[in-house]
Every structure is written in C-alpha cells, then in structure tokens.
Amino acid sequence: MKLKEWPEAERPRERLIKEGAQSLSDAQLLAVVLRTGINGKTVVETAIELLNKFGGLKGIEDASVNELQHIAGLGIAKIAQIKASFELGRRVLSHAEKEKNFNSANAVYNYLYPKLSGLKKEVFITLLLDTKLKLIKEIKVSEGILTQTIIHPREIFKEAVKHSAYAVILAHNHPSGDPTPSEQDLDITKKLKKASEILEISLLDHVIIGNGRYFSMKEKNLI
C-alpha cells in the first residue's frame, strides 16, 4: 500500500499536524523529513531502513555525506534534508543552553556536546563570560591536534581582553570518545592558568568533551 493510501490519521505528516511532533516515532519523524520513499518503498519503510542501516538517529547524524550516498536511491537532495534537520536541532539546543549561566562543567557539556559530538578532529573552544557567567562570545581557537604552539595564551586571551570578559572557560573534544586528559592537555592548561592570573581574567575550567561524558579540570582540582 502506498503512503497516500494509508488512513489519514496514520500518515506521519498529517499525524504530526494533528497530534504534535512528540507523538511520532523516530522512523515517522525521519519520514516527514524525507517526504518520499526510494526504490519502490514507502517513505516510512525507507526511514526504517536507514535507521537499521546506521543504528538509529545518532548513527545517521554521524554518517558522512559519502556514506549516505552509498544508499541506493538516496540522492543529494534527501541527504541535504537529513543533514539540515540535524543541524537545526543542534542549533536549537545550543541557543537554549546559551541563555544559561555557565556555572558548572555540566552546563558547558550540555552547550557544546551537540556541536562537538561525532567530529573526527579535535576542536578547541574558548567561552568568554561576563560577571554573571553568561556567554559573551564563543571562540573557535583551533581545529586539529592540540599543541602548545597552536594553543598559545595570546590566541586564547586576546579576544577575552577585547570583549572585556570577566572569565573564560576552555573546552575541547576527544574524537576517541574518552575525555581523559592527555599530558599535553594538562600542560596546556597549566600554561594558560598562569597567563590568566597575570591578566586577571579568571580561568574557570577546562572541559574535555567525550562520547556522552566529560572531564572537568576544575572538578578534579587540576585547575
């Protein structure tokens, strides 16, 4: 049976409008994004196939464009729709967290995890905060393997001085998923801590983002 032949109450798009997006399963929500099926399958069957192929929504989100293109019949337009829907979700989460106070490592994790999850490279970010620990600006300092040459105090604190930041929080991801700090991470943090004391800009924490967990230098009394 083609999707248009289903009872109207069972069609994902119509059900979403009538009952709300929260009433739909993962497959049904993905079907709304895809709009039409491929290779003679209904759009719901196509969505289920994708979920099974990649192990759920997270697997689809993490899949590269090249990996998605290997699915027969899945064209660039549908791939773009999928990628755009996940990015919209990440931006909504980040915007909501941005309004909160960054008074804990957990708050940092909740804000940055949607952005850093699944990345293949390390990305080093500085969060500039005001006296209420609200975000003034987010700075991407570097992308790639961290070294003390790249992560230099000058690069970290010049924007903090420019924007009159009261404090900064450092953060980066570990693509391996294990947030345990390396010796390089510890050395960089010590160097930046000394620089922050000289400039009288508080270095509140260095948070390493892993897969579903984080490591806080402050919580472990390493900063």
Side-chain angles (χ1 to χ4, degrees), residues 40-75:
K41 299 182 179 69
T42 69
V43 66
V44 174
E45 290 171 336
T46 298
I48 291 172
E49 181 180 344
L50 286 172
L51 289 167
N52 289 337
K53 172 72 175 178
F54 293 100
L57 290 174
K58 182 60 180 170
I60 296 174
E61 180 185 17
D62 291 342
S64 67
V65 171
N66 185 56
E67 288 171 325
L68 291 169
Q69 284 180 310
H70 279 84
I71 304 298
L74 191 65

Side-chain angles (χ1 to χ4, degrees), residues 25-197:
S25 67
D26 290 351
Q28 290 168 329
L29 286 170
L30 185 56
V32 173
V33 172
L34 293 172
R35 296 180 57 232
T36 59
I38 59 176
N39 295 333
K41 299 182 179 69
T42 69
V43 66
V44 174
E45 290 171 336
T46 298
I48 291 172
E49 181 180 344
L50 286 172
L51 289 167
N52 289 337
K53 172 72 175 178
F54 293 100
L57 290 174
K58 182 60 180 170
I60 296 174
E61 180 185 17
D62 291 342
S64 67
V65 171
N66 185 56
E67 288 171 325
L68 291 169
Q69 284 180 310
H70 279 84
I71 304 298
L74 191 65
I76 195 66
K78 289 190 184 298
I79 292 172
Q81 288 166 206
I82 292 170
K83 288 297 183 182
S85 65
F86 282 118
E87 181 59 26
L88 283 170
R90 277 193 294 268
R91 293 188 185 190
V92 169
L93 285 174
S94 293
H95 181 75
E97 291 297 331
K98 182 178 178 179
E99 299 303 315
K100 297 181 180 180
N101 293 344
F102 286 85
N103 54 7
S104 70
N106 189 61
V108 176
Y109 171 80
N110 288 337
Y111 174 67
L112 289 177
Y113 181 72
K115 298 184 178 186
L116 301 180
S117 173
L119 297 184
K120 307 303 181 185
K121 295 180 179 180
E122 289 191 7
V123 174
F124 194 97
I125 289 173
T126 303
L127 302 179
L128 310 182
L129 308 178
D130 64 18
T131 56
K132 295 182 179 179
L133 303 186
K134 288 191 174 183
L135 186 63
I136 298 173
K137 190 174 183 180
E138 172 190 330
I139 309 292
K140 183 167 81 169
V141 179
S142 74
E143 184 173 332
I145 297 175
L146 303 187
T147 68
Q148 292 198 45
T149 302
I150 296 174
I151 310 302
H152 192 278
R154 177 179 59 251
E155 302 305 318
I156 300 297
F157 290 104
K158 70 177 181 180
E159 289 293 324
V161 172
K162 177 181 176 181
H163 293 279
S164 301
Y166 166 76
V168 299
I169 293 177
L170 312 175
H172 77 279
N173 63 309
H174 277 181
S176 67
D178 181 1
T180 304
S182 65
E183 286 300 319
Q184 184 84 314
D185 293 335
L186 296 171
D187 290 343
I188 288 172
T189 304
K190 290 177 183 177
K191 183 176 182 180
L192 295 175
K193 176 64 174 176
K194 291 180 181 178
S196 73
E197 292 170 350

